[in-house]
Amino acid sequence: MAAAPIVFSHWYQLIEGLQASPMEFYSSVENAVGRRELPDTKLGRVDWKEGGVFSAKREYLRARRREYIFDICGAPFGDGFFISWWLGEKPSGLLALVLMIPFVGVWIRRFLKPVTYYQIDTALMFQTAIHGAVIEVLDGLTTARGLRALTELERRPIQREYFQR
């Protein structure tokens, strides 16, 4: 069983009146990310279940840079288009096993892999670049269709306290 990502940032918006294809949205975001020439970044698609074992799957665009994963969702919803992303860390190897230990896994992880300024800065650089690509595409879609642009507050990601992981 693979360990779930440790999520430390999230963002979402429902753009009323925007009709778009998720695949075209993903393709546009891939192009915007590509223009940024981010080192060690790979793009692909992943399927996340909507619920339990027998539930349907939803396709997300994934940007991955080393241990960081950035899953982006674009989906029609009602008369609009919903966009969200999740930034997290995907533990692997021994660290993934340690985190599966109830109650003490997080404490052991802090000893094995303490959080550093470098890690935080790297995660924030990755987040800023990918979020910028998503916003660039979204701005292009809303402008082309004559829809209201997002406010500064609507553009801000929701940050978790990185040190509480």
Side-chain angles (χ1 to χ4, degrees):
M1 176 174 140
I6 300 166
V7 174
F8 42 83
S9 188
H10 179 230
W11 179 83
Y12 62 92
Q13 284 298 316
L14 175 64
I15 311 301
E16 293 180 6
L18 178 61
Q19 297 298 309
S21 156
M23 296 311 123
E24 290 174 15
F25 172 73
Y26 292 160
S27 179
S28 295
V29 172
E30 287 171 329
N31 290 334
V33 170
R35 286 191 298 276
R36 285 163 171 76
E37 300 179 12
L38 306 177
D40 305 318
T41 300
K42 293 181 175 59
L43 299 172
R45 307 291 170 92
V46 295
D47 290 328
W48 282 103
K49 289 194 172 288
E50 293 177 359
V53 176
F54 300 109
S55 68
K57 294 178 182 178
R58 178 161 309 272
E59 186 174 71
Y60 284 66
L61 172 61
R62 174 170 283 178
R64 183 175 188 130
R65 182 175 191 276
R66 299 183 184 139
E67 70 270 19
Y68 300 112
I69 59 169
F70 208 106
D71 287 341
I72 303 164
C73 173
F77 187 78
D79 73 340
F81 193 74
F82 180 76
I83 300 167
S84 74
W85 58 247
W86 301 83
L87 172 63
E89 182 180 5
K90 184 77 171 171
S92 61
L94 177 62
L95 187 56
L97 292 173
V98 165
L99 286 172
M100 294 172 87
I101 302 170
F103 307 110
V104 296
V106 174
W107 294 103
I108 295 171
R109 184 225 168 122
R110 286 183 181 165
F111 175 74
L112 291 176
K113 189 179 179 204
V115 176
T116 65
Y117 287 155
Y118 175 79
Q119 290 173 316
I120 295 169
D121 287 345
T122 301
L124 290 172
M125 284 186 279
F126 188 51
Q127 172 183 296
T128 301
I130 302 295
H131 181 65
V134 170
I135 293 295
E136 174 187 314
V137 170
L138 182 54
D139 284 347
L141 290 170
T142 55
T143 300
R145 290 165 172 83
L147 298 172
R148 172 185 76 78
L150 295 179
T151 66
E152 286 304 311
L153 184 60
E154 291 171 324
R155 293 170 182 266
R156 289 190 190 147
I158 301 163
Q159 300 286 135
R160 278 190 59 198
E161 176 56 51
Y162 197 95
F163 294 106
Q164 291 179 356
R165 352 183 254 139

